[in-house]
Amino acid sequence: MNELDSSITEDMGNGSGYHPFASVYETSQSEYEDITGMSDDRRADLVETLKDGIEKIRHGKTLDNPETLLDTMLILGHLKEPSAFPWLLALADVDPIDFDDLFGEYFLHEDWPRLLVATAHGKWDEIEKRIRQPEFDEHVPALLQATASMVFDDQVPRERVVLFFQNHFNDVIKGHMASEEHLAKWVNAASKLWPGECLEEIKEVYGMDLIDTQYIDIDSVLIDFNKGIEECFGSQHKKYKHAPFVIISDEEQKRQEKICKEKASQTMLEVLKKLRSIDESEFQPTDEPAMPRIGRNDPCPCGSGNKFKKCCLNSKPEGQMKVRLENFKISWDAIDTPLRTEEDREFMETTFWKMKTEPQSCIEPLFEMIEKYPDDPAPYNYLYACYRILGKNFEAHEILLKTLELFPDYLFAQVEYAAYLLRRGDYEKVPGLFKNCYTLKQLYPERDVFHISEVMAFYFIFGEYYLKIGNIDQAKIYLSMLEDVDSDREQTKVLREEIVTHCKQKHLNKLITQEKSHV
């Protein structure tokens, strides 16, 4: 399933309050009453069955009937049996692959967390220990899911869990622990509980590029934050209820559920059909994007340094004009500085290519170059790039901050810090970083020549900025300038794809809304 299909599936959810693949034990009315009124002895027998089954799994032994063990867990979950909790939590010692083989692919992230919540009776300390020292990292998302549900279920104070999340984010930011692949799940859990108290820490892990934004992006976190604690957390808290573990078999109910699922599936198919019938060119940026609106008191895009009203205001209809590149020349030669010797010039040129394939070997020589040329920002920039390529985001961020401190007007450092701000969701800070200049000539009026890499970096970051704030027309303008310079460069391709994806998603949301109204 691709990303668009996944988006449709999520938006067409069954509205049941829990995952449609959550396991249930179906029974008759009489058996349901028998389970509900089960004696202590029979409960103890079920717990013993659970214990034996889990011990076999933990020691790699074969289960004769996994379905029976699953039914036992569901019944104990229905009974909220506290003596079952330690054995259910002991599944944290079991390889997730074994979960899938025994109980199906949804058990780990669907059934197990709600079983823990149903039987924990406030024993979050035990779950917290497992999160801190997991046998398998793959279990952490499920344990975080159980944690959030325990808050909603009033088993653990929200403030205590929020502080736990906040401390974890701080440990990651300070480099006290390795960033792990499940950090996005931590963010998701914190966001469910309202991310207000952790917002700065969450924004920082996004800024340092430690988050898988395919799982949850910063905009989703900010939406939850802007809702406020009452709407984000309070409303969910009030309506929270356990998903059922045991249900009375009802043929009419099954029939109705089947009809609803079929309608939802048909709706999804209709949306996909309409989406795929649209000519791909409809999503492509136009060759002549709409002109940007420029305020009377804004700097004139021509690069004169004057206000727009005193420069080009009357030369374009309705106060609009397209930023043009003809105001400066573009150099394709290697960037050089008179500070370096011929030997060091060759080193920097070689390093530019070498760091893409052998970044680790470039780090020590670059530190030596920094010591030799303390007034040259380029070695800092290369060192930053090496750390990014190596995935050493903490070290990279420290170098970036140091570069900006020493060279506040260095364009490449400004661009990288702007990218950091965009990842954090601090969109409003980007123009100020560039002194509210939207062209290179505005930013550097004394210069008439810019290197190709400066041009691409600057206009790419502003294209990204306008895309993030939802001004697609303006983003298209910067894309058109990138294409005028070099349509095959990576920045051009990336910005074009992002604009296309945005347009597709916007159209998809419209189709989903239309189809939902017909269900």
Side-chain angles (χ1 to χ4, degrees):
M1 182 178 286
N2 59 34
E3 290 181 23
L4 292 176
D5 293 348
S6 298
S7 175
I8 294 171
T9 303
E10 291 170 8
D11 285 332
M12 292 299 188
N14 61 8
S16 63
Y18 62 97
H19 198 286
F21 297 104
S23 300
V24 291
Y25 179 73
E26 294 188 27
T27 184
S28 64
Q29 176 71 43
S30 60
E31 187 180 2
Y32 182 85
E33 294 173 358
D34 186 44
I35 290 172
T36 303
M38 187 177 293
S39 66
D40 291 344
D41 289 342
R42 288 186 59 199
R43 286 183 180 223
D45 289 341
L46 284 179
V47 172
E48 194 63 28
T49 299
L50 173 66
K51 172 185 173 182
D52 291 343
I54 291 177
E55 283 289 85
K56 285 183 177 179
I57 296 172
R58 291 173 70 186
H59 291 91
K61 297 181 180 179
T62 302
L63 283 183
D64 296 331
N65 196 336
E67 292 83 3
T68 299
L69 181 58
L70 178 58
D71 289 344
T72 298
M73 288 189 280
L74 294 173
I75 292 172
L76 289 169
H78 176 76
L79 295 171
K80 299 184 179 180
E81 176 56 47
S83 60
F85 175 72
W87 297 107
L88 290 167
L89 187 57
L91 286 170
D93 299 328
V94 178
D95 192 315
I97 296 176
D98 294 335
F99 278 0
D100 295 349
D101 293 340
L102 292 168
F103 308 121
E105 60 181 308
Y106 299 105
F107 180 86
L108 175 59
H109 296 292
E110 192 56 45
D111 297 326
W112 189 42
R114 63 194 185 103
L115 284 167
L116 291 173
V117 175
T119 59
H121 294 275
K123 294 180 181 177
W124 181 65
D125 289 350
E126 299 301 315
I127 293 178
E128 180 186 0
K129 290 177 185 176
R130 292 289 184 164
I131 294 174
R132 290 184 184 276
Q133 297 177 329
E135 180 70 20
F136 294 99
D137 286 344
E138 294 89 337
H139 292 328
V140 170
L143 295 172
L144 290 173
Q145 184 178 333
T147 294
S149 295
M150 288 182 72
V151 175
F152 287 121
D153 199 38
D154 290 322
Q155 294 190 43
V156 58
R158 175 185 173 277
E159 294 75 16
R160 183 181 172 193
V161 172
V162 168
L163 181 60
F164 173 62
F165 287 163
Q166 195 171 29
N167 289 337
H168 180 78
F169 293 137
N170 274 319
D171 284 341
V172 172
I173 291 167
K174 295 173 183 177
H176 294 166
M177 61 174 60
S179 59
E180 23 72 25
E181 59 180 311
H182 300 302
L183 191 56
K185 310 299 193 304
W186 285 83
V187 171
N188 185 55
S191 195
K192 284 181 180 178
L193 301 178
W194 190 64
E197 299 92 334
C198 301
L199 187 63
E200 181 56 33
E201 290 82 4
I202 290 174
K203 291 172 73 172
E204 189 63 8
V205 294
Y206 274 99
M208 295 178 71
D209 208 10
L210 304 176
I211 293 287
D212 177 8
T213 57
Q214 294 295 318
Y215 184 80
I216 181 171
D217 58 28
I218 188 61
D219 290 326
S220 299
V221 176
L222 293 175
I223 287 172
D224 284 335
F225 170 74
N226 291 327
K227 286 178 181 177
I229 188 169
E230 181 54 38
E231 183 180 349
C232 180
F233 170 73
S235 59
Q236 293 184 74
H237 183 205
K238 291 174 183 176
K239 67 183 180 181
Y240 176 81
K241 61 180 180 180
H242 286 286
F245 293 99
V246 178
I247 62 172
I248 299 171
S249 182
D250 187 325
E251 294 302 323
E252 177 59 23
Q253 182 178 345
K254 287 182 182 179
R255 191 180 72 83
Q256 291 297 329
E257 289 178 353
K258 182 179 179 181
I259 291 173
C260 288
K261 288 181 179 180
E262 288 176 349
K263 284 184 178 180
S265 297
Q266 186 60 37
T267 300
M268 184 178 76
L269 289 173
E270 288 296 322
V271 169
L272 287 172
K273 183 178 178 181
K274 289 181 179 181
L275 185 65
R276 289 165 178 162
S277 67
I278 298 172
D279 190 340
E280 184 78 9
S281 63
E282 293 190 27
F283 297 118
Q284 298 294 332
T286 58
D287 292 334
E288 291 295 330
M291 299 296 186
R293 290 194 174 277
I294 302 169
R296 291 172 54 81
N297 293 314
D298 290 341
C300 187
C302 74
S304 66
N306 298 320
K307 290 184 178 181
F308 184 45
K309 65 183 179 182
K310 293 184 178 181
C311 191
C312 297
L313 173 62
N314 297 320
S315 66
K316 298 290 179 181
E318 300 180 4
Q320 296 178 350
M321 69 178 297
K322 182 177 179 180
V323 181
R324 303 191 64 84
L325 292 174
E326 287 79 0
N327 300 307
F328 57 81
K329 295 180 180 180
I330 298 176
S331 170
W332 296 76
D333 297 329
I335 298 179
D336 193 17
T337 171
L339 294 172
R340 303 180 198 138
T341 64
E342 183 63 34
E343 181 181 358
D344 290 337
R345 290 192 190 98
E346 292 180 5
F347 165 79
M348 290 297 289
E349 185 173 351
T350 301
T351 300
F352 176 79
W353 299 106
K354 186 178 180 181
M355 66 185 185
K356 298 177 182 179
T357 56
E358 302 176 44
Q360 186 63 51
S361 66
C362 299
I363 291 177
E364 186 175 344
L366 283 170
F367 272 115
E368 293 173 359
M369 191 65 61
I370 287 172
E371 186 174 352
K372 188 174 183 179
Y373 299 104
D375 295 327
D376 186 356
Y380 287 90
N381 185 38
Y382 284 18
L383 187 58
Y384 169 81
C386 287
Y387 280 136
R388 285 299 301 253
I389 294 169
L390 288 167
K392 295 184 176 181
N393 294 345
F394 305 104
E395 293 86 346
H397 190 64
E398 289 180 358
I399 288 294
L400 176 59
L401 294 179
K402 184 67 175 178
T403 308
L404 275 175
E405 178 187 347
L406 295 173
F407 313 100
D409 295 325
Y410 183 48
L411 179 61
F412 293 115
Q414 289 176 311
V415 167
E416 287 302 323
Y417 194 75
Y420 161 79
L421 292 175
L422 293 180
R423 290 193 296 268
R424 280 177 52 94
D426 290 335
Y427 308 136
E428 72 285 352
K429 296 181 180 180
V430 171
L433 178 65
F434 296 98
K435 304 175 184 178
N436 294 311
C437 296
Y438 296 87
T439 72
L440 284 169
K441 282 295 290 182
Q442 286 177 8
L443 189 59
Y444 302 105
E446 73 285 358
R447 292 180 57 182
D448 295 316
V449 179
F450 293 92
H451 191 263
I452 176 63
S453 59
E454 294 178 305
V455 176
M456 300 301 290
F458 181 86
Y459 288 115
F460 173 75
I461 203 65
F462 267 99
E464 289 278 291
Y465 162 71
Y466 280 111
L467 184 61
K468 290 292 187 181
I469 66 172
N471 190 336
I472 305 305
D473 285 340
Q474 196 77 310
K476 289 178 180 178
I477 289 172
Y478 283 95
L479 173 61
S480 71
M481 290 188 286
L482 289 174
E483 291 182 326
D484 286 345
V485 177
D486 191 341
S487 61
D488 291 327
R489 285 251 174 170
E490 187 65 20
Q491 292 110 314
T492 308
K493 295 177 181 178
V494 169
L495 184 58
R496 170 174 282 276
E497 181 58 33
E498 289 179 348
I499 290 174
V500 169
T501 299
H502 176 92
C503 294
K504 281 185 176 181
Q505 189 64 54
K506 186 176 180 180
H507 190 77
L508 174 63
N509 294 338
K510 181 179 179 181
L511 288 176
I512 290 173
T513 301
Q514 291 174 345
E515 290 300 325
K516 274 186 174 180
S517 65
H518 299 147
V519 176

